[in-house]
Each structure stands twice: as C-alpha cells, then as structure tokens.
Amino acid sequence: MPAVATTSAVAAEAARRRTFAVISHPDAGKSTITEALALHAQVIGEAGAVHGKAGRRGVVSDWMAMEQQRGISITSAVLQFAYRDLVINLLDTPGHADFSEDTYRVLTAVDCAVMLLDAAKGLEPQTLKLFEVCRARRIPVITFINKWDRPGNEPLALLDEIEQRINLRPTPITWPVGIAGQFHGVVDRRTGDMTAFHRTPGGATAAIEERLDPAEAARRHGADWQRAVEELDLLTLTGADHDQDAFTAATTTPVLFGAAVANSGVRQLLDVLATHAPAPQARPDLTGRPRPVDAPFAGFVFKIQANMNKAHRDQVAFVRVCSGRFTRGMTVSHAPTGRPFATKYAQQMFGADRETIDEAYPGDVIGLVNATALRIGDTLYDDPPVTFPPLPSFAPEHFAVLRAADAGAFKRFRRGVEQLDAEGVVQVLRSDRRGDQAPVLAAVGPMQFEVATARLETEFGVTTRLEHLPYRATRRTDRGGEEALRGVTGAEVLVRARDGALLALFTDDWRMRAISDRHRGLTLDPLLATS
C-alpha cells in the first residue's frame, strides 16, 4: 500500500503546480512559443520549427502527421516539466476555429491562460472567442505580444486595443526597446534594467541575454531607449502597474513582449508564470460546493486520444487532478456508474512521448491507458463521492453522411467511428432511417471532417466517402419534437451517440423559425456557442 500523503503535504505539492494553456488566433505563434517555453525550462535541447524549417525538427506538441504537414495544431497536447522548484503543466491547444471544441475542453482543465497576440494584428477573431471562454470561467490571462522582431503596431496602441475591446486592463511587466521590427530587448519595469537579446544562429537555442543598467542601455540604444523610458513614465502615471489580486480576479492582464521564433522574451514569460500564475484552487462540484485541493483524490477526463504513437496503438484518457494525491494502481470510483476503476496503467505525457508515473497532485494531468470505460467529462474520485460539472458540446454547423468505400471493411469502419466519437474529434449522429452504415458526422468546422477521414484511413485502413448535408442550424429537442418534425421538409432529428441527446437539424435559421412558428410549443433549446 502506498503511503497516504498528509493534507498539508498535498496542499504544498498543489502550491508548486502551474497549469496553463496558450490561446491565440492561428499563425500567431502558439506552437512556437510552446516549444520555446520547453526550451527555456531545459527539457529540450533545441527548439523545433513548426514546419521543421532549415533542418530543424518539428515541434514536440504537434505530433500528428497532419499537424506537421500543415504547420497547424489540430489536437491538444500536454507537456509537463520542472522549472525552478515548480512543476509546469502546459496544455497546448488548437488555434484553428474548426477545433474550438477541443480547445474549450482544455480550458476547463487549466488555472491560467497565456493570450498570444501577433504584434502586427493585435486581437484577432479566434483569440477573442477563446478569451470569452476564459472570461466566462474567470481564468486569469497573461498577455504575450509576439513577433516584435517584425514590423507591427505601436505598443501603446496594442494596450489600448486590449482595454477597449475586451475590457481587460493591461499592466505591462516588460516593455520593448525598439519599435516592432527593430527589437533590441525589453525593460523589466520592476528593476528598470534592460535585457538585450542576441539571437543564436538559426534561432533553435535560447537567445543570448545581456543585462544592461539604464546608463549603458541609453549609451547603446540612444533614441530607442529614450522612447521606451518616456512610454514607461506614461504607464506609471496612468497606474498601469501589476496588481496580483486584480490579476487573479481576471480584471487585469500582465503584458510581456518578445519574439518566440528567436526565443527572445520567453524566459521572462516563464518567470512571470512561475511567480504570478495561480496554483490550483478548490474546484466546484456539480452542486457548486468547492472540493478542497487537499481532499481525497478526484479528477475529471477532459480529453481522450488514441494512436498517439505508432509504438503505442492504444487509447489514453487525459485526467486533470483536482484534489488529493493520485498513486498508480489505486482503485477509484467512476462517478457516472459508481463502479470501481483500477488505475494500473498511468502515464505522464510529453507531447507524444510518455513514461510511467507513480504519483500526481492537483494541477497535474495524468494519462490513463486503455481506459475504454471512460468518456470525456467523466469524474473519478476516492471517497467522499464527487461529480464535477459535465463538459458541454459546441453547436455543430457542418454535417455529412459518412460511408465506407468498401462494404467489407465495415467492422473496422464502425470501430474507427466509435473511436473518433469517444475522442470528440467529431460528433456522431445516428437515426434508424440512416442506419449504422451511414452515420452523420457533425462538426464545428469542415477541417474536422478532413481529420476524421484521414485518421480512418491511416489508423484503421478504411477509405471513406463523405456526402455533405445542407443543414446549418442545430437545436436540442425531445421526443415530442422528434415526432413533430418527422417528415418535415428542411428538418431532421438525429440521436447524438455519445450522450443520447436528440438534435434537431435545420437547413438554416429562417427555416428553423418558420417551423417553430408552425409548431407552437416545440422544444428547441440552444447548444453552447449557438448564436
């Protein structure tokens, strides 16, 4: 029997954890900064490039073949590493809008977020959507303004945009010396000193940092230094100083500047995360009652992924530990069924790499291997019982009938579709009329269909055909609604496989309103992210 950790020991371990995600619009540099953070924590020796450019390897967080080919993040990844005396859990998320649902699930498992902005583009649409999820969950946000080594906006203009558009007061901790595109380094507002950056050849290793006092910075950088000093004086006059209570209350955002591709300004971001990002706190259960971090073990499944590594053709359930000490081999309870669940095969993830883990604490993410009984949103606990709130599904906007090109491959086809549904790659809808051989795939964005069909072919050896359906609007209904809509033109009711929910599909919003007006009392409830 493993030794039972005292509540004070569990609380102390929880205080050492920092669990966060990076959110951004596509191409803002999210995977690049994820890689750079791992580099500065010295868990990798060389930072990869998103496309493996100039002989550099690919980034560790983009492990899927399609991610490496296209240079985008398609699925979430977990990187755990030590920094100073802390344990960092970095959850990389997809930036593309088509994978918003995966990103949303990850944001339920973090205590802080880094909002990454392109210096030339500022707040972009997908960043705004993801920030609203953070706001709704009251997740504190640290802002990193990236690509300062390229032409971009004025720094003060970027701060104004943050405050005006999302009502979050920016409180810069570092400030750039040199306009965007002529980046010399940053001033640390807490000390007044400048850190000058010298990029290493190819940018694959950490930038060389040189500490300059104000006199030396003024001598070397003249007008650029003077401009930075004047802007810093203005920030001081307006009271734009970091306030830890306001930050953890999610009303202000610390701001830093840098260039992730050159590994410049990344160490400063890592230090701010270590110093200011909140440690795990008591998490409310389904009734709203907080479960303290030093209560017995409890956690929830926020992600399921199969076939991450060709050497490990298995399924992994990612569990965020919310309370207590997890030990490998412990038997816990599965909240949806009340049945005991053994945790013999528990692993720590680093991208697609993995190693056996013996214990974990609040804030950590553990991978339970071949846990086929688990579904996204499930709670696991050691007594006393607890159930955390379920993870809602996004409203799909694209629909297609999926069929196997070869009828002889139906068993593999069905197994593959069930796997994709369990992972949440797509939502799988069924009806008696269409049958199991022609399930309907429902997606937030069309790229999800590409991922689904590519994985069916590469992982299950099944070539498929897609027939796109004309539906664009979705609502949740009931048995009465199913009967009322049977045979109605421009509408169809299907059962969502993962939870049995009845979804009413309509060709467009106008058709939905017309049918609703004709059938008074029809149950048509919005799903999450339905406008």
Side-chain angles (χ1 to χ4, degrees):
M1 279 289 289
V4 176
T6 64
T7 56
S8 59
V10 170
E13 286 294 337
R16 296 179 55 228
R17 266 61 182 176
R18 300 292 183 271
T19 303
F20 70 97
V22 181
I23 61 172
S24 76
H25 195 80
D27 299 324
K30 182 175 55 56
S31 292
T32 303
I33 201 164
T34 297
E35 191 84 350
L37 287 165
L39 172 71
H40 279 77
Q42 299 182 335
V43 289
I44 57 174
E46 178 180 294
V50 170
H51 287 283
K53 297 174 184 174
R56 288 166 63 180
R57 60 171 181 78
V59 296
V60 295
S61 59
D62 287 350
W63 51 267
M64 187 183 287
M66 189 179 290
E67 293 178 309
Q68 295 165 356
Q69 292 161 5
R70 298 195 180 194
I72 61 172
S73 293
I74 289 172
T75 187
S76 306
V78 177
L79 307 177
Q80 185 186 74
F81 50 85
Y83 182 67
R84 300 196 322 212
D85 60 343
L86 303 174
V87 177
I88 306 294
N89 294 291
L90 197 172
L91 279 60
D92 185 40
T93 64
H96 199 286
D98 287 11
F99 307 105
S100 297
E101 194 166 4
D102 198 22
T103 300
Y104 180 90
R105 289 191 289 259
V106 169
L107 289 175
T108 66
V110 301
D111 305 307
C112 182
V114 172
M115 181 169 67
L116 189 67
L117 304 185
D118 184 318
K121 299 174 181 177
L123 286 165
E124 298 179 85
Q126 183 65 5
T127 313
L128 291 169
K129 288 181 181 179
L130 296 173
F131 171 75
E132 288 305 323
V133 175
C134 293
R135 187 197 296 278
R137 298 191 58 82
R138 299 185 65 81
I139 298 172
V141 171
I142 297 169
T143 299
F144 186 84
I145 297 177
N146 192 27
K147 302 186 181 181
W148 206 256
D149 55 340
R150 304 179 188 180
N153 291 307
E154 295 284 341
L156 291 173
L158 288 164
L159 298 193
D160 286 342
E161 182 182 19
I162 292 170
E163 187 156 19
Q164 296 300 319
R165 294 189 68 184
I166 61 176
N167 195 30
L168 196 63
R169 182 165 173 74
T171 56
I173 288 182
T174 67
W175 194 253
V177 178
I179 62 172
Q182 298 178 25
F183 188 32
H184 307 303
V186 294
V187 184
D188 187 328
R189 291 187 67 203
R190 297 163 295 189
T191 64
D193 289 343
M194 174 182 172
T195 299
F197 300 120
H198 305 283
R199 182 172 180 171
T200 57
T205 56
I208 298 169
E209 297 186 4
E210 184 182 8
R211 192 71 171 265
L212 307 177
D213 62 29
E216 181 62 18
R219 188 184 71 78
R220 289 197 198 180
H221 299 292
D224 285 336
W225 171 258
Q226 185 59 37
R227 175 190 175 110
V229 169
E230 291 171 358
E231 290 170 336
L232 288 171
D233 288 343
L234 181 60
L235 292 174
T236 301
L237 286 172
T238 59
D241 300 321
H242 175 72
D243 181 295
Q244 185 66 15
D245 291 338
F247 164 58
T248 55
T251 60
T252 66
T253 177
V255 179
L256 300 97
F257 293 78
V261 74
N263 297 302
S264 300
V266 179
R267 180 186 61 78
Q268 287 74 14
L269 173 60
L270 195 52
D271 285 339
V272 167
L273 280 161
T275 304
H276 297 301
Q281 304 296 316
R283 182 170 288 255
D285 64 13
L286 192 56
T287 68
R289 184 185 301 115
R291 186 172 178 101
V293 294
D294 55 1
F297 167 77
F300 68 92
V301 179
F302 68 91
K303 174 182 173 61
I304 291 175
Q305 184 73 54
N307 303 328
M308 294 180 64
N309 189 317
K310 291 180 180 179
H312 304 282
R313 307 290 287 186
D314 50 23
Q315 176 176 303
V316 179
F318 290 77
V319 177
R320 152 73 192 233
V321 179
C322 299
S323 66
R325 178 192 183 210
F326 170 86
T327 56
R328 182 169 59 91
M330 70 187 300
T331 298
V332 297
S333 296
H334 181 220
T337 63
R339 295 173 181 168
F341 183 89
T343 61
K344 181 178 179 181
Y345 302 107
Q347 297 186 330
Q348 174 185 306
M349 316 305 294
F350 189 83
D353 297 329
R354 55 177 75 179
E355 62 181 32
T356 298
I357 185 171
D358 291 321
E359 63 179 13
Y361 292 92
D364 288 342
V365 174
I366 55 176
L368 298 179
V369 181
N370 287 335
T372 54
L374 300 183
R375 293 291 179 266
I376 290 171
D378 285 0
T379 297
L380 297 172
Y381 66 85
D382 196 6
D383 283 335
V386 63
T387 298
F388 293 112
L391 306 187
S393 297
F394 271 38
E397 299 176 8
H398 302 268
F399 303 87
V401 177
L402 182 71
R403 293 184 175 87
D406 178 7
F410 177 67
K411 286 186 177 180
R412 281 179 283 130
F413 171 77
R414 182 172 58 186
R415 189 168 68 251
V417 169
E418 289 174 351
Q419 179 63 53
L420 297 177
D421 186 37
E423 294 180 26
V425 174
V426 286
Q427 296 181 38
V428 177
L429 313 180
R430 302 185 186 277
S431 69
D432 292 339
R433 181 170 69 86
R434 294 185 182 276
D436 287 346
Q437 294 187 341
V440 173
L441 303 188
V444 174
M447 198 177 293
Q448 289 176 262
F449 294 143
E450 294 183 49
V451 173
T453 55
R455 288 191 58 190
L456 284 169
E457 184 166 1
T458 57
E459 296 174 22
F460 295 91
V462 179
T463 303
T464 55
R465 295 194 304 268
L466 275 177
E467 175 193 336
H468 291 274
L469 297 174
Y471 303 122
R472 290 293 178 269
T474 318
R475 293 292 188 271
R476 184 190 293 265
T477 190
D478 55 18
R479 290 297 177 189
E482 182 182 28
E483 289 297 323
L485 295 173
R486 196 182 305 278
V488 173
T489 303
E492 184 176 353
V493 176
L494 297 167
V495 180
R496 188 161 57 193
R498 71 177 65 159
D499 60 4
L502 290 170
L503 301 188
L505 280 51
F506 303 90
T507 50
D508 52 43
D509 288 337
W510 181 89
R511 185 66 180 160
M512 179 179 64
R513 287 192 294 269
I515 292 173
S516 180
D517 289 342
R518 192 181 315 139
H519 297 270
R520 294 294 181 180
L522 190 65
T523 298
L524 295 175
D525 296 329
L527 284 76
L528 181 70
T530 299
S531 57

